[in-house]
């Protein structure tokens, strides 16, 4: 169907609408990558190099997309990736969580149910883990190695008490914040000085301004999930970032310790090298995410989809493998699954959806991906996502860029 005022038919259209609605600084905070943006671009472009081997007869009348990740059953192989403070909509992560819990997509195998999936919630989120777990029972709480062991564990256990079903530890970050196109200004907090500074941007985006005016609040740039364990005020985003930045990098022994203390499903996010994948298995991970932080880590790192096959080959079925980076359509998800991923995580795609249409926009993005996966399964003659293999793909020589690993 063609796009309408209340519906967009592609993630690209969601991005265009997000750009029209958001102030320039907010929009560019969503789209930028580190340094020159080589990895950011490759995350998307690499998918275009992979082709399909379709079939044309005896195609399955219905296709199954459900799977499990971190012990949770999800109705499509797409998860919400954790992202930091979301100033694109007043409801922030709560709106995302509601959309993921009930996407308004009718399940063709059970018409009485709607399709739902899980959500990664950032420790740098603008809404508390308690608020988010209240509207979605498949939340995976994400932590950075920020602060002491005791502080990190306290945040994790708070999330478990709130109802989080799994823990995601993000390790892929080298603090390469320089961007050739320039980093957008982000205020420490929304005080009178900040409002005056950003007024010229915001006044030209009346819909964004009206949405926040109706909410009766200003964008909150504090991070409630980083409240000190012994009490005190929530730090600002930059305050939390400073804690993370100044904390010594963790060792594999640190990760194994946290895994043991957590005692539940445990994902390590940021794997790009087979050696790290094997170390993650040794540390007791339940799952790993092949990810380069959406192109915001070490620029020049290949696309996540290029690293996926070597990582899958390194760990076999010892651990669940998901992929995060560059997913813009259902066909991208199918390509990742055929290369061995159990599911994909999306970041920018759902943020653009929320910027375009709030909670309904997030549901719209999930619907686009769900239908795209279904169409690709039909074309490949597959009854289920679990039947996908590398034989369904046409992969160019040296696609993985991993011949020396």
């Amino acid at each position: 169907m063609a796009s309408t005022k209340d519906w967009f038919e592609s993630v690209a259209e969601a991005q265009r609408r997000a750009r029209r609605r958001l102030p320039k600084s907010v929009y560019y905070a969503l789209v930028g990558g580190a340094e020159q943006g080589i990895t950011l671009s490759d995350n998307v472009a690499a998918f275009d190099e992979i082709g399909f081997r379709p079939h044309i007869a005896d195609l399955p009348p219905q296709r199954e997309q459900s799977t499990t990740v971190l012990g949770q059953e999800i109705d499509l192989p797409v998860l919400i990736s954790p992202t930091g403070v979301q100033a694109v909509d007043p409801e922030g992560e709560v709106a995302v969580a509601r959309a993921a819990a009930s996407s308004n997509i009718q399940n063709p195998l059970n018409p009485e149910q709607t399709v739902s999936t899980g959500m990664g919630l950032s420790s740098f989120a603008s809404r508390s883990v308690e608020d988010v777990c209240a509207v979605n029972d498949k939340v995976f709480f994400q932590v950075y190695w920020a602060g002491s062991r005791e502080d990190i564990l306290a945040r994790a256990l708070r999330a478990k008490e709130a109802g989080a079903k799994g823990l995601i530890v993000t390790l892929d970050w080298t603090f390469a914040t320089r961007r050739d196109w320039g980093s957008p200004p982000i205020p420490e907090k929304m005080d009178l000085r900040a409002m005056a500074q950003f007024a010229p941007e915001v006044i030209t985006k009346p819909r964004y301004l009206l949405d926040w005016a109706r909410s009766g609040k200003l964008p909150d740039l504090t991070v409630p999930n980083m409240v000190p364990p012994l009490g005190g005020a929530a730090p600002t985003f930059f305050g939390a970032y400073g804690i993370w930045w100044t904390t010594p990098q963790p060792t594999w022994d640190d990760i194994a310790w946290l895994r043991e203390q957590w005692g539940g499903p445990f994902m390590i996010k940021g794997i790009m090298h087979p050696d790290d994948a094997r170390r993650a298995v040794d540390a007791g991970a339940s799952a790993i995410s092949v990810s380069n932080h959406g192109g915001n880590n070490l620029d020049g790192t290949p696309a996540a989809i290029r690293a996926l096959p070597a990582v899958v080959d390194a760990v076999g079925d010892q651990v669940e493998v998901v992929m995060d980076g560059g997913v813009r359509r259902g066909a991208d998800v199918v390509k990742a699954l055929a290369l061995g991923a159990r599911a994909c995580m999306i970041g920018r795609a759902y943020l653009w959806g929320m910027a375009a249409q709030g909670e309904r926009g997030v549901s719209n993005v999930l619907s686009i991906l769900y239908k795209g996966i279904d169409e690709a399964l039909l074309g490949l003659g597959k009854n289920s996502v679990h039947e996908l293999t590398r034989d369904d793909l046409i992969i160019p020589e040296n696609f993985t860029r991993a011949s020396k690993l």
Side-chain angles (χ1 to χ4, degrees), residues 66-373:
S66 63
T67 189
T68 59
V69 177
L70 292 176
Q72 298 300 303
E73 294 184 3
I74 54 177
D75 295 325
L76 75 163
V78 177
L79 295 163
I80 298 296
S81 190
T83 60
V85 171
Q86 296 177 3
V88 300
D89 183 87
E91 288 297 297
E93 294 83 0
V94 170
V96 178
R98 285 196 300 255
S102 181
S103 63
N104 295 323
I105 310 166
Q106 188 179 59
N107 188 336
L109 302 181
N110 189 348
E112 296 182 359
Q113 294 182 354
T114 57
V115 170
S116 67
T117 192
M119 174 178 177
L121 177 69
S122 175
S123 55
F124 287 5
S126 62
R127 298 297 296 268
S128 73
V129 64
E130 290 83 7
D131 286 348
V132 172
C133 285
V135 298
N136 189 313
D137 63 359
K138 297 174 184 176
V139 172
F140 311 121
F141 185 67
Q142 177 269 350
V143 297
Y144 295 106
W145 198 263
S148 68
R149 275 187 169 192
E150 292 72 20
D151 288 347
I152 296 165
L153 179 59
R155 290 181 208 118
L157 295 181
R158 171 187 165 187
K160 181 179 284 188
E161 179 67 22
K165 300 299 195 299
L167 190 68
I168 301 173
V169 183
T170 298
L171 299 181
D172 56 331
W173 189 255
T174 57
F175 302 101
T177 58
R178 295 163 302 283
R179 299 174 178 180
D180 286 10
W181 48 270
S183 297
I186 302 174
E188 177 78 10
K189 57 184 177 179
M190 286 305 296
D191 54 16
L192 290 175
R193 181 178 179 181
M195 287 188 282
Q197 177 185 355
F198 288 91
E201 287 187 30
V202 176
I203 201 67
T204 64
K205 304 294 182 179
R207 184 180 159 206
Y208 179 83
L209 181 60
L210 181 60
D211 286 345
W212 281 99
R214 286 172 174 168
S215 75
K217 55 187 179 183
L218 295 171
D220 190 352
L221 301 182
T222 61
V223 285
N225 297 316
M226 291 287 289
V227 170
L230 297 180
T236 65
F237 174 80
F238 284 112
Y241 190 93
I243 296 170
W244 179 26
W245 197 349
T246 56
T247 299
Q249 295 292 319
T251 65
W252 283 110
D253 286 341
D254 288 325
I255 302 304
W257 169 84
L258 182 58
R259 165 69 180 91
E260 182 178 359
Q261 296 297 314
W262 169 256
F266 187 92
M267 179 188 291
I268 297 177
K269 186 174 185 292
I271 302 291
M272 288 293 291
H273 197 294
D275 287 351
D276 286 339
R278 287 184 279 263
R279 294 299 298 269
V281 172
D282 293 341
S286 313
I288 56 177
S289 173
V290 179
S291 172
N292 51 42
H293 217 108
N296 279 292
N297 189 23
L298 180 62
D299 198 28
T301 301
I305 191 70
R306 298 192 195 278
L308 178 62
V311 169
V312 170
D313 291 345
V315 301
D317 60 0
Q318 298 177 86
V319 65
E320 298 173 359
V321 179
V322 303
M323 197 222 72
D324 184 343
V327 172
R328 300 292 184 267
R329 49 188 56 85
D332 296 341
V333 177
V334 170
K335 291 173 183 178
L337 269 54
L339 290 175
R342 178 168 296 207
C344 289
M345 302 180 83
I346 58 169
R348 289 181 177 89
Y350 80 82
L351 290 171
W352 291 331
M354 182 164 62
Q357 206 75 32
E359 179 182 337
R360 185 167 54 182
V362 180
S363 293
N364 195 154
V365 166
L366 290 172
S367 176
I368 290 167
L369 296 177
Y370 186 86
K371 293 175 181 177
I373 294 168

Side-chain angles (χ1 to χ4, degrees), residues 43-58:
N43 270 348
V44 178
F47 281 102
D48 296 341
E49 298 178 23
I50 302 174
F52 286 123
R53 299 182 189 274
H55 293 282
I56 59 169
D58 291 330

